[in-house]
Amino acid sequence: MPEQPRIFPVDAVRRQFPALDQAGRFVFFDNAAGAQIPATVLEAVTDHLRMRNVQRGGPYRQSREVDAMIGRARDSVAAFVNARGGDEIAFGLNATSFIRAISLAVGQTLASRREIIVSELDHEANVATWLALERAGARIVWWRARTGADGARLEPADLDSLLTERTRLVACTMATNATGTIVDVADVARRAHAVGAEVFLDAVHYAPHRPIDVKAIDCDYLVCSGYKVFAPHMGFAWCRREAINRLPTFREAFIPDVTPDKLEAGTYAYENVAGMEAAVARRPSPQVWRRATWASAADTCIHRG
Ligand SMILES: Cc1ncc(COP(=O)(O)O)c(C=O)c1O
C-alpha cells in the first residue's frame, strides 16, 4: 500500500481561532505583525476580567487568585524558554519597553566596558534602544550583515574582530523579521562570554517558529512578545537571575530589588498575562498541547487562510 499523504486539518485548526473561523475566506498574511488567538486564550482573558479584575497582593480570594495565576504564568513561560525557574520571567507591556528598561540599567553600569554591539539585521526596537545609550557614554559598534545569493545573514565569526575587553554587551536577534534568517545565537553567546561581555536576545520573531532554550543558548537576557505566540498584546523578559539582580533597574521604592519584581514597574494587564498562560501552558494531554505542532499548525493556518 502506498503511504497516504498526511493532510493538514486546516478546518479543525481554523475553528479554534474565532477571528479566522468567523471571517469567511479571510486570509491573514500579516503574521509578522502578530498571530490570532485561539478560543482557549480568549476564554482565559475574559474569565480573568469577569472573575478577578483586581490588584495582586491583596489578602482576599480574588487577589490571591491573581497572584496564583501570575505564578503559574511565570512557570509556564519559564518552561516555554527552558528557564531555571519562574522567578526569571517578568511581564509587561511589550518587548520594546523591556529592552528600554534593561538598556537604561545597563547604561548605568558601563564603567570600562563602554561598547555595545548592535546588528544590521535587527528590528529597530533592539537597535534604537541601545543607540540611545550614546548619551550615557556608550560607544556603538555595528555588526554588519553578510550578503550573498541566499540573502543577508549574521555570521558569528565576524564578531571576533569586534569583541574586546571593552565590550559590555552584544544585542542581536534570534531571527530577523525582515528575511526570516536565523542567527546562531549560542555561537554568539560563546564568543561574547569569552571576552566577558553579555548577550541580549530579541526572540520576538523566532518564538512562533522554533522552541527556545535559554540554558542551551547560554544568553543573559531575552525578550519576547505575547502577540506573536497566540497570546494578547503583552511582552515578557527572561533574564539570568544573577545578571538582572546586579542591574540598577527603575522600580518603585516598595518593590523588591530582585527579579522578577525589579523589572515590573507599576501595574500591567493581568488579563493578558492570563491569556499568555493559556497560550503556552503545557496541558495534561500531549494531544491538546504540543508546542511545536501548535506553532506550525497555526502558522500554516494563518498562511493558507
Ligand atoms: C523582531 C522584532 N523585534 C521586536 C519587535 C518589537 O516588539 P514589541 O512590539 O513587542 O515591542 C518586533 C515587532 O514586530 C519584531 O518583529
Side-chain angles (χ1 to χ4, degrees):
M1 279 270 286
E3 198 181 323
Q4 294 295 312
R6 290 176 62 198
I7 296 176
F8 180 75
V10 66
D11 292 330
V13 174
R14 277 183 75 95
R15 272 198 295 280
Q16 298 183 49
F17 291 80
L20 299 177
D21 192 37
Q22 294 166 21
R25 294 303 301 160
F26 170 59
V27 178
F28 184 66
F29 276 126
D30 197 16
N31 74 332
Q36 298 305 304
I37 58 172
T40 46
V41 170
L42 190 60
E43 279 156 22
V45 174
T46 50
D47 179 66
H48 181 92
L49 290 172
R50 201 183 291 124
M51 306 306 292
R52 58 195 74 81
N53 187 30
V54 301
Q55 186 54 281
R56 58 182 162 154
Y60 53 99
R61 178 177 60 79
Q62 290 84 345
S63 184
R64 286 198 201 98
E65 285 176 4
V66 175
D67 285 328
M69 179 279 293
I70 293 173
R72 282 195 307 278
R74 290 197 207 286
D75 289 345
S76 294
V77 174
F80 183 64
V81 299
N82 199 27
R84 283 177 292 175
D87 65 306
E88 294 190 320
I89 304 296
F91 294 119
L93 189 57
N94 52 41
T96 308
S97 54
F98 273 122
I99 306 175
R100 178 70 171 152
I102 296 169
S103 64
L104 281 172
V106 167
Q108 294 173 57
T109 63
L110 294 174
S112 63
R113 287 182 177 267
R114 311 195 78 77
E115 296 187 355
I116 309 277
I117 298 181
V118 297
S119 101
E120 248 182 358
L121 287 191
D122 265 75
H123 187 283
E124 175 75 351
N126 202 24
V127 175
T129 34
W130 301 105
L131 293 185
L133 290 192
E134 283 179 314
R135 288 196 291 275
R139 182 173 166 266
I140 300 298
V141 176
W142 282 94
W143 179 10
R144 302 286 174 199
R146 290 198 200 184
T147 48
D150 53 348
R153 67 190 167 84
L154 291 170
E155 174 54 60
D158 293 346
L159 282 173
D160 290 350
S161 59
L162 309 177
L163 288 163
T164 70
E165 71 283 353
R166 293 183 302 280
T167 311
R168 172 71 178 81
L169 178 143
V170 179
C172 84
T173 189
M174 295 184 73
T176 85
N177 71 336
T179 63
T181 310
I182 290 172
V183 183
D184 184 349
V185 286
D187 197 2
V188 172
R190 194 174 51 75
R191 290 169 199 270
H193 288 161
V195 300
E198 290 185 317
V199 174
F200 187 103
L201 297 180
D202 172 353
V204 175
H205 189 70
Y206 185 92
H209 301 285
R210 304 256 173 112
I212 297 171
D213 186 339
V214 292
K215 284 190 204 128
I217 299 168
D218 194 28
C219 50
D220 301 288
Y221 313 92
L222 179 147
V223 290
C224 193
S225 308
Y227 63 91
K228 303 280 178 142
V229 290
F230 315 111
H233 286 99
M234 52 85 72
F236 72 84
W238 165 84
C239 301
R240 185 193 294 280
R241 240 176 245 134
E242 298 79 1
I244 192 67
N245 285 340
R246 276 196 299 267
L247 288 181
T249 54
F250 170 80
R251 63 189 173 82
E252 302 96 311
F254 56 86
I255 298 293
D257 195 18
V258 289
T259 189
D261 306 82
K262 65 178 289 171
L263 256 183
E264 294 181 343
T267 303
Y268 46 87
Y270 304 138
E271 63 272 24
N272 292 346
V273 173
M276 182 73 200
E277 211 279 314
V280 301
R282 284 174 194 281
R283 300 288 172 231
S285 153
Q287 284 76 38
V288 177
W289 171 252
R290 266 180 292 150
R291 188 173 64 199
T293 311
W294 249 119
S296 59
D299 207 33
T300 310
C301 176
I302 287 164
H303 273 102
R304 279 198 45 183

